[in-house]
Short mmCIF file of all heavy atoms in Angstrom, two decimals:
data_model
loop_
_atom_site.label_atom_id
_atom_site.label_comp_id
_atom_site.label_asym_id
_atom_site.label_seq_id
_atom_site.Cartn_x
_atom_site.Cartn_y
_atom_site.Cartn_z
N LEU A 112 76.90 -121.81 126.82
CA LEU A 112 76.41 -122.83 125.89
C LEU A 112 77.53 -123.36 125.00
O LEU A 112 78.44 -122.61 124.61
CB LEU A 112 75.28 -122.28 125.05
CG LEU A 112 73.93 -122.20 125.79
CD1 LEU A 112 72.98 -121.24 125.10
CD2 LEU A 112 73.32 -123.59 125.90
N LYS A 113 77.42 -124.65 124.71
CA LYS A 113 78.42 -125.34 123.89
C LYS A 113 77.73 -125.93 122.67
O LYS A 113 76.52 -126.19 122.69
CB LYS A 113 79.05 -126.48 124.70
CG LYS A 113 79.68 -126.06 126.01
CD LYS A 113 80.16 -127.27 126.78
CE LYS A 113 80.76 -126.88 128.12
NZ LYS A 113 81.25 -128.07 128.88
N PRO A 114 78.49 -126.19 121.61
CA PRO A 114 77.87 -126.80 120.42
C PRO A 114 77.16 -128.12 120.74
O PRO A 114 76.14 -128.42 120.12
CB PRO A 114 79.07 -127.02 119.49
CG PRO A 114 80.02 -125.94 119.86
CD PRO A 114 79.88 -125.79 121.36
N GLU A 115 77.66 -128.86 121.70
CA GLU A 115 77.02 -130.12 122.06
C GLU A 115 75.69 -129.95 122.80
O GLU A 115 75.00 -130.93 123.07
CB GLU A 115 77.97 -131.01 122.89
CG GLU A 115 78.60 -130.31 124.08
CD GLU A 115 79.98 -129.78 123.78
OE1 GLU A 115 80.19 -129.19 122.68
OE2 GLU A 115 80.87 -129.93 124.66
N ASP A 116 75.34 -128.72 123.13
CA ASP A 116 74.01 -128.45 123.71
C ASP A 116 72.95 -128.32 122.63
O ASP A 116 71.76 -128.20 122.94
CB ASP A 116 74.05 -127.16 124.53
CG ASP A 116 74.94 -127.26 125.75
OD1 ASP A 116 74.89 -128.31 126.43
OD2 ASP A 116 75.67 -126.29 126.04
N THR A 117 73.36 -128.33 121.39
CA THR A 117 72.41 -128.24 120.28
C THR A 117 71.44 -129.41 120.30
O THR A 117 71.85 -130.57 120.33
CB THR A 117 73.16 -128.20 118.93
OG1 THR A 117 73.95 -127.02 118.87
CG2 THR A 117 72.19 -128.23 117.76
N ALA A 118 70.16 -129.09 120.31
CA ALA A 118 69.12 -130.13 120.40
C ALA A 118 67.75 -129.46 120.37
O ALA A 118 67.65 -128.23 120.47
CB ALA A 118 69.26 -130.92 121.70
N VAL A 119 66.74 -130.30 120.25
CA VAL A 119 65.37 -129.84 120.50
C VAL A 119 65.10 -130.06 121.99
O VAL A 119 65.32 -131.16 122.50
CB VAL A 119 64.35 -130.60 119.65
CG1 VAL A 119 62.93 -130.13 119.98
CG2 VAL A 119 64.63 -130.40 118.17
N TYR A 120 64.67 -129.03 122.66
CA TYR A 120 64.41 -129.08 124.09
C TYR A 120 62.91 -129.18 124.34
O TYR A 120 62.12 -128.42 123.77
CB TYR A 120 64.98 -127.83 124.77
CG TYR A 120 66.48 -127.88 124.92
CD1 TYR A 120 67.30 -127.75 123.81
CD2 TYR A 120 67.08 -128.08 126.16
CE1 TYR A 120 68.69 -127.83 123.92
CE2 TYR A 120 68.47 -128.15 126.30
CZ TYR A 120 69.25 -128.02 125.16
OH TYR A 120 70.62 -128.10 125.28
N TYR A 121 62.54 -130.13 125.19
CA TYR A 121 61.14 -130.39 125.51
C TYR A 121 60.92 -130.22 127.02
O TYR A 121 61.72 -130.68 127.82
CB TYR A 121 60.77 -131.83 125.15
CG TYR A 121 60.91 -132.18 123.70
CD1 TYR A 121 62.11 -132.69 123.20
CD2 TYR A 121 59.83 -132.05 122.82
CE1 TYR A 121 62.24 -133.03 121.87
CE2 TYR A 121 59.96 -132.41 121.48
CZ TYR A 121 61.17 -132.89 121.02
OH TYR A 121 61.29 -133.23 119.70
N CYS A 122 59.81 -129.60 127.37
CA CYS A 122 59.44 -129.60 128.78
C CYS A 122 58.49 -130.77 129.03
O CYS A 122 57.75 -131.19 128.14
CB CYS A 122 58.83 -128.28 129.22
SG CYS A 122 57.31 -127.81 128.38
N ASN A 123 58.55 -131.26 130.24
CA ASN A 123 57.70 -132.37 130.65
C ASN A 123 57.19 -132.09 132.05
O ASN A 123 57.98 -131.81 132.96
CB ASN A 123 58.49 -133.68 130.63
CG ASN A 123 57.71 -134.83 131.21
OD1 ASN A 123 57.76 -135.09 132.41
ND2 ASN A 123 56.98 -135.52 130.37
N PHE A 124 55.88 -132.14 132.20
CA PHE A 124 55.28 -131.96 133.51
C PHE A 124 54.67 -133.30 133.93
O PHE A 124 53.80 -133.82 133.24
CB PHE A 124 54.18 -130.91 133.47
CG PHE A 124 54.68 -129.49 133.38
CD1 PHE A 124 55.98 -129.19 133.03
CD2 PHE A 124 53.81 -128.44 133.66
CE1 PHE A 124 56.43 -127.88 132.93
CE2 PHE A 124 54.24 -127.12 133.58
CZ PHE A 124 55.55 -126.84 133.22
N ASP A 125 55.12 -133.83 135.05
CA ASP A 125 54.49 -135.01 135.64
C ASP A 125 53.63 -134.52 136.79
O ASP A 125 54.16 -134.09 137.82
CB ASP A 125 55.57 -135.98 136.11
CG ASP A 125 54.97 -137.26 136.65
OD1 ASP A 125 53.95 -137.20 137.39
OD2 ASP A 125 55.50 -138.33 136.35
N LEU A 126 52.32 -134.57 136.58
CA LEU A 126 51.39 -134.02 137.56
C LEU A 126 50.62 -135.18 138.19
O LEU A 126 49.71 -135.72 137.56
CB LEU A 126 50.45 -133.02 136.90
CG LEU A 126 51.12 -131.89 136.10
CD1 LEU A 126 50.07 -131.01 135.43
CD2 LEU A 126 52.04 -131.08 136.97
N GLY A 127 51.02 -135.55 139.37
CA GLY A 127 50.34 -136.64 140.06
C GLY A 127 50.37 -137.94 139.28
O GLY A 127 49.43 -138.73 139.36
N GLY A 128 51.44 -138.16 138.53
CA GLY A 128 51.57 -139.41 137.78
C GLY A 128 51.15 -139.32 136.33
O GLY A 128 51.40 -140.25 135.56
N ARG A 129 50.55 -138.23 135.93
CA ARG A 129 50.18 -138.04 134.53
C ARG A 129 51.22 -137.12 133.89
O ARG A 129 51.52 -136.05 134.42
CB ARG A 129 48.79 -137.42 134.40
CG ARG A 129 47.68 -138.32 134.93
CD ARG A 129 46.32 -137.81 134.51
NE ARG A 129 46.15 -137.86 133.06
CZ ARG A 129 45.04 -137.47 132.43
NH1 ARG A 129 44.02 -137.00 133.12
NH2 ARG A 129 44.96 -137.54 131.12
N GLY A 130 51.73 -137.57 132.74
CA GLY A 130 52.79 -136.82 132.09
C GLY A 130 52.29 -136.03 130.90
O GLY A 130 51.43 -136.49 130.14
N TYR A 131 52.85 -134.86 130.73
CA TYR A 131 52.50 -133.98 129.61
C TYR A 131 53.79 -133.45 129.00
O TYR A 131 54.76 -133.14 129.71
CB TYR A 131 51.65 -132.81 130.10
CG TYR A 131 50.38 -133.22 130.78
CD1 TYR A 131 50.34 -133.44 132.16
CD2 TYR A 131 49.21 -133.44 130.05
CE1 TYR A 131 49.18 -133.83 132.79
CE2 TYR A 131 48.03 -133.83 130.69
CZ TYR A 131 48.03 -134.03 132.05
OH TYR A 131 46.88 -134.43 132.67
N TRP A 132 53.78 -133.33 127.67
CA TRP A 132 54.96 -132.86 126.94
C TRP A 132 54.65 -131.59 126.17
O TRP A 132 53.55 -131.43 125.65
CB TRP A 132 55.42 -133.92 125.94
CG TRP A 132 56.06 -135.12 126.56
CD1 TRP A 132 55.45 -136.28 126.90
CD2 TRP A 132 57.44 -135.28 126.91
NE1 TRP A 132 56.36 -137.16 127.45
CE2 TRP A 132 57.59 -136.57 127.46
CE3 TRP A 132 58.56 -134.45 126.81
CZ2 TRP A 132 58.82 -137.06 127.91
CZ3 TRP A 132 59.78 -134.94 127.26
CH2 TRP A 132 59.90 -136.23 127.81
N GLY A 133 55.65 -130.73 126.09
CA GLY A 133 55.58 -129.60 125.20
C GLY A 133 55.93 -130.02 123.78
O GLY A 133 56.32 -131.16 123.53
N GLN A 134 55.81 -129.07 122.85
CA GLN A 134 56.01 -129.38 121.44
C GLN A 134 57.48 -129.35 121.04
O GLN A 134 57.84 -129.83 119.96
CB GLN A 134 55.24 -128.39 120.56
CG GLN A 134 55.90 -127.03 120.36
CD GLN A 134 55.79 -126.10 121.56
OE1 GLN A 134 55.22 -126.45 122.59
NE2 GLN A 134 56.34 -124.90 121.43
N GLY A 135 58.32 -128.82 121.90
CA GLY A 135 59.75 -128.75 121.62
C GLY A 135 60.16 -127.40 121.07
O GLY A 135 59.39 -126.75 120.35
N THR A 136 61.36 -126.98 121.41
CA THR A 136 61.91 -125.73 120.88
C THR A 136 63.38 -125.97 120.54
O THR A 136 64.12 -126.60 121.31
CB THR A 136 61.74 -124.57 121.89
OG1 THR A 136 62.17 -123.35 121.29
CG2 THR A 136 62.52 -124.80 123.18
N GLN A 137 63.79 -125.50 119.37
CA GLN A 137 65.13 -125.78 118.86
C GLN A 137 66.15 -124.82 119.45
O GLN A 137 65.97 -123.60 119.39
CB GLN A 137 65.15 -125.66 117.34
CG GLN A 137 66.52 -125.88 116.69
CD GLN A 137 66.99 -127.31 116.78
OE1 GLN A 137 66.25 -128.24 116.48
NE2 GLN A 137 68.26 -127.51 117.17
N VAL A 138 67.22 -125.40 119.97
CA VAL A 138 68.38 -124.62 120.42
C VAL A 138 69.57 -125.05 119.57
O VAL A 138 69.90 -126.24 119.51
CB VAL A 138 68.68 -124.86 121.91
CG1 VAL A 138 70.00 -124.20 122.30
CG2 VAL A 138 67.54 -124.34 122.77
N THR A 139 70.18 -124.10 118.91
CA THR A 139 71.35 -124.37 118.08
C THR A 139 72.50 -123.50 118.57
O THR A 139 72.36 -122.28 118.64
CB THR A 139 71.07 -124.09 116.60
OG1 THR A 139 69.96 -124.89 116.17
CG2 THR A 139 72.28 -124.42 115.74
N VAL A 140 73.60 -124.14 118.91
CA VAL A 140 74.78 -123.42 119.38
C VAL A 140 75.86 -123.57 118.31
O VAL A 140 76.40 -124.65 118.09
CB VAL A 140 75.27 -123.97 120.73
CG1 VAL A 140 76.45 -123.13 121.23
CG2 VAL A 140 74.15 -124.00 121.74
#
């Protein structure tokens, strides 16, 4: 991991054309 990887990370599931998002999780390097 690098400092430039610091961000809020979100998962996204596209299920048959319908998209869903997670709430996000913070990664700090």
Side-chain angles (χ1 to χ4, degrees):
L112 282 161
K113 305 175 181 180
E115 51 264 42
D116 295 318
T117 296
V119 178
Y120 284 71
Y121 299 90
C122 62
N123 173 271
F124 285 16
D125 184 317
L126 307 177
R129 296 193 65 180
Y131 302 90
W132 288 94
Q134 80 284 1
T136 186
Q137 177 70 47
V138 172
T139 302
V140 184

